[in-house]
Short mmCIF file of all heavy atoms in Angstrom, two decimals:
data_model
loop_
_atom_site.label_atom_id
_atom_site.label_comp_id
_atom_site.label_asym_id
_atom_site.label_seq_id
_atom_site.Cartn_x
_atom_site.Cartn_y
_atom_site.Cartn_z
N ARG A 299 10.43 3.29 -1.65
CA ARG A 299 10.35 2.83 -3.04
C ARG A 299 9.61 1.51 -3.10
O ARG A 299 9.92 0.56 -2.36
CB ARG A 299 11.75 2.68 -3.63
CG ARG A 299 11.75 2.47 -5.12
CD ARG A 299 13.15 2.66 -5.71
NE ARG A 299 13.12 2.57 -7.17
CZ ARG A 299 12.75 3.52 -7.99
NH1 ARG A 299 12.35 4.67 -7.48
NH2 ARG A 299 12.76 3.36 -9.31
N TYR A 300 8.60 1.44 -3.91
CA TYR A 300 7.78 0.25 -4.05
C TYR A 300 7.98 -0.35 -5.43
O TYR A 300 7.68 0.30 -6.44
CB TYR A 300 6.31 0.56 -3.79
CG TYR A 300 5.46 -0.67 -3.84
CD1 TYR A 300 5.45 -1.56 -2.76
CD2 TYR A 300 4.67 -0.95 -4.94
CE1 TYR A 300 4.65 -2.70 -2.79
CE2 TYR A 300 3.89 -2.11 -4.98
CZ TYR A 300 3.90 -2.97 -3.90
OH TYR A 300 3.15 -4.10 -3.94
N VAL A 301 8.48 -1.58 -5.48
CA VAL A 301 8.72 -2.28 -6.74
C VAL A 301 8.00 -3.64 -6.70
O VAL A 301 8.14 -4.38 -5.72
CB VAL A 301 10.24 -2.51 -6.97
CG1 VAL A 301 10.46 -3.27 -8.29
CG2 VAL A 301 10.98 -1.18 -7.00
N LYS A 302 7.22 -3.92 -7.71
CA LYS A 302 6.48 -5.16 -7.76
C LYS A 302 6.41 -5.71 -9.18
O LYS A 302 5.92 -5.03 -10.08
CB LYS A 302 5.04 -4.96 -7.22
CG LYS A 302 4.28 -6.25 -6.94
CD LYS A 302 4.81 -6.94 -5.72
CE LYS A 302 4.01 -8.19 -5.39
NZ LYS A 302 4.54 -8.91 -4.24
N PRO A 303 6.93 -6.91 -9.42
CA PRO A 303 6.80 -7.48 -10.77
C PRO A 303 5.38 -8.02 -10.99
O PRO A 303 4.64 -8.29 -10.04
CB PRO A 303 7.82 -8.63 -10.74
CG PRO A 303 7.93 -9.04 -9.31
CD PRO A 303 7.71 -7.75 -8.52
N ASN A 304 5.01 -8.12 -12.24
CA ASN A 304 3.69 -8.66 -12.60
C ASN A 304 2.54 -7.99 -11.85
O ASN A 304 1.72 -8.67 -11.21
CB ASN A 304 3.64 -10.16 -12.40
CG ASN A 304 4.75 -10.90 -13.13
OD1 ASN A 304 5.05 -10.60 -14.29
ND2 ASN A 304 5.40 -11.86 -12.44
N PRO A 305 2.42 -6.69 -11.90
CA PRO A 305 1.37 -6.01 -11.13
C PRO A 305 -0.03 -6.39 -11.57
O PRO A 305 -0.97 -6.23 -10.79
CB PRO A 305 1.65 -4.53 -11.41
CG PRO A 305 2.40 -4.51 -12.69
CD PRO A 305 3.23 -5.74 -12.69
N HIS A 306 -0.21 -6.89 -12.78
CA HIS A 306 -1.52 -7.26 -13.25
C HIS A 306 -2.06 -8.49 -12.51
O HIS A 306 -3.28 -8.75 -12.55
CB HIS A 306 -1.49 -7.57 -14.76
CG HIS A 306 -1.21 -6.35 -15.60
ND1 HIS A 306 -2.17 -5.44 -15.92
CD2 HIS A 306 -0.05 -5.92 -16.16
CE1 HIS A 306 -1.64 -4.47 -16.65
NE2 HIS A 306 -0.34 -4.74 -16.82
N GLU A 307 -1.18 -9.22 -11.86
CA GLU A 307 -1.61 -10.42 -11.10
C GLU A 307 -2.10 -10.03 -9.71
O GLU A 307 -2.63 -10.91 -8.99
CB GLU A 307 -0.45 -11.39 -11.01
CG GLU A 307 0.00 -11.96 -12.36
CD GLU A 307 1.17 -12.91 -12.24
OE1 GLU A 307 1.59 -13.17 -11.07
OE2 GLU A 307 1.68 -13.36 -13.26
N ILE A 308 -1.90 -8.82 -9.28
CA ILE A 308 -2.31 -8.39 -7.94
C ILE A 308 -3.70 -7.79 -8.03
O ILE A 308 -3.89 -6.74 -8.64
CB ILE A 308 -1.32 -7.37 -7.37
CG1 ILE A 308 0.09 -7.95 -7.32
CG2 ILE A 308 -1.78 -6.95 -5.97
CD1 ILE A 308 1.13 -6.95 -6.91
N GLU A 309 -4.68 -8.45 -7.44
CA GLU A 309 -6.05 -7.97 -7.48
C GLU A 309 -6.43 -7.28 -6.16
O GLU A 309 -6.95 -6.19 -6.14
CB GLU A 309 -7.01 -9.12 -7.78
CG GLU A 309 -6.81 -9.74 -9.16
CD GLU A 309 -7.04 -8.72 -10.28
OE1 GLU A 309 -7.91 -7.85 -10.13
OE2 GLU A 309 -6.32 -8.80 -11.30
N ASN A 310 -6.20 -7.97 -5.04
CA ASN A 310 -6.51 -7.41 -3.74
C ASN A 310 -5.36 -7.76 -2.78
O ASN A 310 -5.13 -8.94 -2.50
CB ASN A 310 -7.82 -8.00 -3.19
CG ASN A 310 -9.03 -7.48 -3.94
OD1 ASN A 310 -9.48 -6.36 -3.72
ND2 ASN A 310 -9.57 -8.31 -4.83
N ALA A 311 -4.68 -6.74 -2.35
CA ALA A 311 -3.54 -6.98 -1.46
C ALA A 311 -3.40 -5.76 -0.55
O ALA A 311 -3.80 -4.64 -0.90
CB ALA A 311 -2.25 -7.19 -2.24
N THR A 312 -2.81 -5.97 0.61
CA THR A 312 -2.63 -4.88 1.56
C THR A 312 -1.32 -5.09 2.30
O THR A 312 -0.98 -6.22 2.66
CB THR A 312 -3.80 -4.76 2.54
OG1 THR A 312 -3.56 -3.70 3.44
CG2 THR A 312 -4.00 -6.05 3.32
N TRP A 313 -0.60 -4.02 2.51
CA TRP A 313 0.65 -4.08 3.23
C TRP A 313 0.77 -2.91 4.17
O TRP A 313 0.34 -1.79 3.84
CB TRP A 313 1.84 -4.01 2.27
CG TRP A 313 1.82 -5.00 1.17
CD1 TRP A 313 2.35 -6.26 1.16
CD2 TRP A 313 1.20 -4.83 -0.12
NE1 TRP A 313 2.12 -6.86 -0.04
CE2 TRP A 313 1.41 -6.04 -0.84
CE3 TRP A 313 0.51 -3.80 -0.74
CZ2 TRP A 313 0.94 -6.23 -2.14
CZ3 TRP A 313 0.03 -3.99 -2.02
CH2 TRP A 313 0.25 -5.17 -2.72
N MET A 314 1.32 -3.13 5.35
CA MET A 314 1.77 -2.00 6.16
C MET A 314 3.25 -1.83 5.85
O MET A 314 4.03 -2.74 6.08
CB MET A 314 1.58 -2.25 7.66
CG MET A 314 2.11 -1.09 8.51
SD MET A 314 2.12 -1.47 10.26
CE MET A 314 0.39 -1.45 10.62
N LEU A 315 3.61 -0.70 5.34
CA LEU A 315 5.00 -0.52 4.91
C LEU A 315 5.92 -0.21 6.10
O LEU A 315 6.95 -0.85 6.28
CB LEU A 315 5.06 0.62 3.90
CG LEU A 315 4.24 0.45 2.62
CD1 LEU A 315 4.42 1.63 1.70
CD2 LEU A 315 4.61 -0.85 1.91
N THR A 316 5.53 0.76 6.91
CA THR A 316 6.46 1.26 7.93
C THR A 316 5.68 1.90 9.07
O THR A 316 4.58 2.39 8.90
CB THR A 316 7.38 2.35 7.33
OG1 THR A 316 7.93 1.85 6.11
CG2 THR A 316 8.53 2.69 8.26
N VAL A 317 6.29 1.88 10.27
CA VAL A 317 5.81 2.70 11.39
C VAL A 317 6.85 3.78 11.63
O VAL A 317 8.04 3.53 11.73
CB VAL A 317 5.62 1.85 12.68
CG1 VAL A 317 5.38 2.75 13.88
CG2 VAL A 317 4.44 0.90 12.49
N PHE A 318 6.39 5.04 11.69
CA PHE A 318 7.25 6.19 11.90
C PHE A 318 7.06 6.73 13.29
O PHE A 318 5.94 6.95 13.76
CB PHE A 318 6.95 7.29 10.87
CG PHE A 318 7.19 6.86 9.45
CD1 PHE A 318 6.14 6.42 8.66
CD2 PHE A 318 8.47 6.87 8.91
CE1 PHE A 318 6.34 6.01 7.37
CE2 PHE A 318 8.68 6.45 7.61
CZ PHE A 318 7.62 6.03 6.82
N ASN A 319 8.19 6.99 13.99
CA ASN A 319 8.19 7.65 15.27
C ASN A 319 8.40 9.14 15.02
O ASN A 319 9.45 9.54 14.50
CB ASN A 319 9.32 7.13 16.16
CG ASN A 319 9.16 5.66 16.46
OD1 ASN A 319 8.12 5.23 16.95
ND2 ASN A 319 10.21 4.86 16.17
N CYS A 320 7.39 9.94 15.34
CA CYS A 320 7.43 11.36 15.01
C CYS A 320 6.68 12.15 16.07
O CYS A 320 5.56 11.82 16.42
CB CYS A 320 6.79 11.54 13.62
SG CYS A 320 6.67 13.23 13.05
N PHE A 321 7.31 13.19 16.60
CA PHE A 321 6.73 14.05 17.64
C PHE A 321 6.35 13.24 18.89
O PHE A 321 5.43 13.57 19.63
CB PHE A 321 5.48 14.78 17.12
CG PHE A 321 5.75 15.75 16.02
CD1 PHE A 321 5.37 15.45 14.72
CD2 PHE A 321 6.40 16.95 16.26
CE1 PHE A 321 5.61 16.34 13.67
CE2 PHE A 321 6.66 17.85 15.23
CZ PHE A 321 6.26 17.56 13.94
N GLY A 322 7.05 12.14 19.13
CA GLY A 322 6.75 11.29 20.28
C GLY A 322 5.59 10.37 20.10
O GLY A 322 5.17 9.71 21.05
N TYR A 323 5.05 10.29 18.90
CA TYR A 323 3.91 9.40 18.57
C TYR A 323 4.32 8.47 17.40
O TYR A 323 5.40 8.61 16.84
CB TYR A 323 2.68 10.20 18.20
CG TYR A 323 2.10 11.03 19.31
CD1 TYR A 323 2.53 12.35 19.50
CD2 TYR A 323 1.14 10.51 20.18
CE1 TYR A 323 2.01 13.13 20.53
CE2 TYR A 323 0.62 11.28 21.20
CZ TYR A 323 1.06 12.58 21.38
OH TYR A 323 0.53 13.34 22.40
N GLN A 324 3.41 7.53 17.07
CA GLN A 324 3.68 6.59 16.01
C GLN A 324 2.60 6.71 14.90
O GLN A 324 1.42 6.90 15.22
CB GLN A 324 3.71 5.15 16.52
CG GLN A 324 4.94 4.84 17.37
CD GLN A 324 4.92 5.54 18.71
OE1 GLN A 324 3.90 5.56 19.39
NE2 GLN A 324 6.02 6.14 19.08
N PHE A 325 3.05 6.58 13.67
CA PHE A 325 2.18 6.66 12.50
C PHE A 325 2.42 5.46 11.60
O PHE A 325 3.59 5.08 11.38
CB PHE A 325 2.46 7.95 11.71
CG PHE A 325 2.23 9.21 12.50
CD1 PHE A 325 3.20 9.68 13.38
CD2 PHE A 325 1.06 9.93 12.35
CE1 PHE A 325 3.03 10.85 14.11
CE2 PHE A 325 0.87 11.10 13.08
CZ PHE A 325 1.84 11.56 13.97
N CYS A 326 1.35 4.84 11.09
CA CYS A 326 1.45 3.65 10.24
C CYS A 326 1.20 4.03 8.79
O CYS A 326 0.13 4.56 8.48
CB CYS A 326 0.44 2.60 10.65
SG CYS A 326 0.44 2.18 12.39
N LEU A 327 2.13 3.71 7.91
CA LEU A 327 1.94 3.95 6.48
C LEU A 327 1.45 2.67 5.84
O LEU A 327 2.06 1.62 5.95
CB LEU A 327 3.26 4.40 5.84
CG LEU A 327 3.25 4.61 4.32
CD1 LEU A 327 2.29 5.75 3.96
CD2 LEU A 327 4.65 4.89 3.80
N HIS A 328 0.33 2.76 5.12
CA HIS A 328 -0.26 1.61 4.44
C HIS A 328 -0.25 1.81 2.93
O HIS A 328 -0.34 2.93 2.44
CB HIS A 328 -1.72 1.43 4.86
CG HIS A 328 -1.90 1.05 6.30
ND1 HIS A 328 -2.01 -0.24 6.73
CD2 HIS A 328 -1.99 1.83 7.41
CE1 HIS A 328 -2.17 -0.28 8.06
NE2 HIS A 328 -2.16 0.98 8.49
N PHE A 329 -0.15 0.69 2.23
CA PHE A 329 -0.24 0.71 0.75
C PHE A 329 -1.12 -0.46 0.35
O PHE A 329 -0.88 -1.60 0.78
CB PHE A 329 1.14 0.58 0.13
CG PHE A 329 1.17 0.90 -1.35
CD1 PHE A 329 1.19 2.21 -1.77
CD2 PHE A 329 1.17 -0.10 -2.28
CE1 PHE A 329 1.22 2.52 -3.13
CE2 PHE A 329 1.19 0.18 -3.63
CZ PHE A 329 1.23 1.50 -4.07
N GLU A 330 -2.16 -0.20 -0.44
CA GLU A 330 -3.13 -1.25 -0.76
C GLU A 330 -3.40 -1.31 -2.26
O GLU A 330 -3.28 -0.31 -2.97
CB GLU A 330 -4.47 -0.96 -0.07
CG GLU A 330 -4.36 -0.78 1.44
CD GLU A 330 -5.46 -1.49 2.18
OE1 GLU A 330 -6.34 -2.05 1.53
OE2 GLU A 330 -5.42 -1.47 3.41
N ALA A 331 -3.76 -2.52 -2.71
CA ALA A 331 -4.20 -2.72 -4.09
C ALA A 331 -5.60 -3.33 -4.03
O ALA A 331 -5.82 -4.32 -3.34
CB ALA A 331 -3.24 -3.65 -4.83
N PHE A 332 -6.55 -2.72 -4.74
CA PHE A 332 -7.91 -3.26 -4.73
C PHE A 332 -8.65 -2.69 -5.95
O PHE A 332 -8.07 -1.92 -6.74
CB PHE A 332 -8.65 -2.90 -3.45
CG PHE A 332 -8.78 -1.44 -3.15
CD1 PHE A 332 -9.97 -0.78 -3.43
CD2 PHE A 332 -7.73 -0.71 -2.61
CE1 PHE A 332 -10.13 0.58 -3.18
CE2 PHE A 332 -7.87 0.64 -2.33
CZ PHE A 332 -9.06 1.29 -2.63
N HIS A 333 -9.91 -3.08 -6.12
CA HIS A 333 -10.73 -2.57 -7.20
C HIS A 333 -11.70 -1.51 -6.70
O HIS A 333 -12.39 -1.72 -5.71
CB HIS A 333 -11.51 -3.71 -7.88
CG HIS A 333 -10.71 -4.47 -8.88
ND1 HIS A 333 -9.78 -5.42 -8.53
CD2 HIS A 333 -10.69 -4.40 -10.25
CE1 HIS A 333 -9.20 -5.91 -9.62
NE2 HIS A 333 -9.73 -5.30 -10.68
N LEU A 334 -11.74 -0.41 -7.39
CA LEU A 334 -12.72 0.64 -7.14
C LEU A 334 -13.74 0.53 -8.24
O LEU A 334 -13.53 1.00 -9.36
CB LEU A 334 -12.03 2.01 -7.12
CG LEU A 334 -12.88 3.20 -6.66
CD1 LEU A 334 -13.41 2.98 -5.25
CD2 LEU A 334 -12.05 4.48 -6.70
N GLY A 335 -14.84 -0.16 -7.95
CA GLY A 335 -15.77 -0.56 -9.01
C GLY A 335 -15.09 -1.65 -9.83
O GLY A 335 -14.74 -2.71 -9.31
N THR A 336 -14.84 -1.36 -11.09
CA THR A 336 -14.15 -2.34 -11.94
C THR A 336 -12.71 -1.89 -12.23
O THR A 336 -11.98 -2.54 -12.96
CB THR A 336 -14.89 -2.49 -13.28
OG1 THR A 336 -14.99 -1.23 -13.94
CG2 THR A 336 -16.30 -3.08 -13.06
N THR A 337 -12.31 -0.74 -11.65
CA THR A 337 -11.00 -0.19 -11.95
C THR A 337 -9.97 -0.60 -10.89
O THR A 337 -10.18 -0.34 -9.69
CB THR A 337 -11.06 1.36 -11.99
OG1 THR A 337 -12.05 1.77 -12.92
CG2 THR A 337 -9.70 1.95 -12.36
N PRO A 338 -8.89 -1.26 -11.27
CA PRO A 338 -7.83 -1.60 -10.29
C PRO A 338 -7.07 -0.35 -9.88
O PRO A 338 -6.67 0.45 -10.73
CB PRO A 338 -6.93 -2.59 -11.07
CG PRO A 338 -7.20 -2.30 -12.51
CD PRO A 338 -8.59 -1.80 -12.61
N VAL A 339 -6.93 -0.17 -8.57
CA VAL A 339 -6.27 1.04 -8.05
C VAL A 339 -5.29 0.66 -6.96
O VAL A 339 -5.33 -0.44 -6.39
CB VAL A 339 -7.29 2.06 -7.49
CG1 VAL A 339 -8.26 2.53 -8.57
CG2 VAL A 339 -8.05 1.48 -6.29
N TYR A 340 -4.40 1.60 -6.68
CA TYR A 340 -3.51 1.52 -5.52
C TYR A 340 -3.86 2.69 -4.60
O TYR A 340 -4.27 3.78 -5.08
CB TYR A 340 -2.04 1.61 -5.91
CG TYR A 340 -1.63 0.48 -6.83
CD1 TYR A 340 -1.47 0.69 -8.19
CD2 TYR A 340 -1.37 -0.79 -6.34
CE1 TYR A 340 -1.07 -0.32 -9.04
CE2 TYR A 340 -0.98 -1.82 -7.16
CZ TYR A 340 -0.85 -1.59 -8.52
OH TYR A 340 -0.46 -2.62 -9.34
N MET A 341 -3.70 2.48 -3.30
CA MET A 341 -4.02 3.53 -2.33
C MET A 341 -2.98 3.56 -1.22
O MET A 341 -2.59 2.50 -0.71
CB MET A 341 -5.40 3.30 -1.73
CG MET A 341 -5.84 4.34 -0.71
SD MET A 341 -7.55 4.02 -0.14
CE MET A 341 -7.71 5.28 1.13
#
């Protein structure tokens, strides 16, 4: 669950949320905020 107050103030930010141990390997989950052209997006 991702909760963030004042999302309009976030222009460019990046977070690694979690590392998952699965099938004996590790996977990194990322969540980012940035502009795609002039449109603010999350990825």
Side-chain angles (χ1 to χ4, degrees):
R299 191 166 184 80
Y300 184 75
V301 178
K302 192 73 176 178
N304 304 316
H306 293 280
E307 297 178 4
I308 303 174
E309 296 299 325
N310 289 282
T312 179
W313 307 269
M314 177 189 289
L315 301 181
T316 312
V317 169
F318 297 98
N319 298 305
C320 178
F321 297 107
Y323 294 91
Q324 289 70 45
F325 300 80
C326 308
L327 177 63
H328 294 266
F329 193 80
E330 305 222 357
F332 60 99
H333 277 79
L334 189 57
T336 58
T337 304
V339 299
Y340 299 102
M341 180 177 174

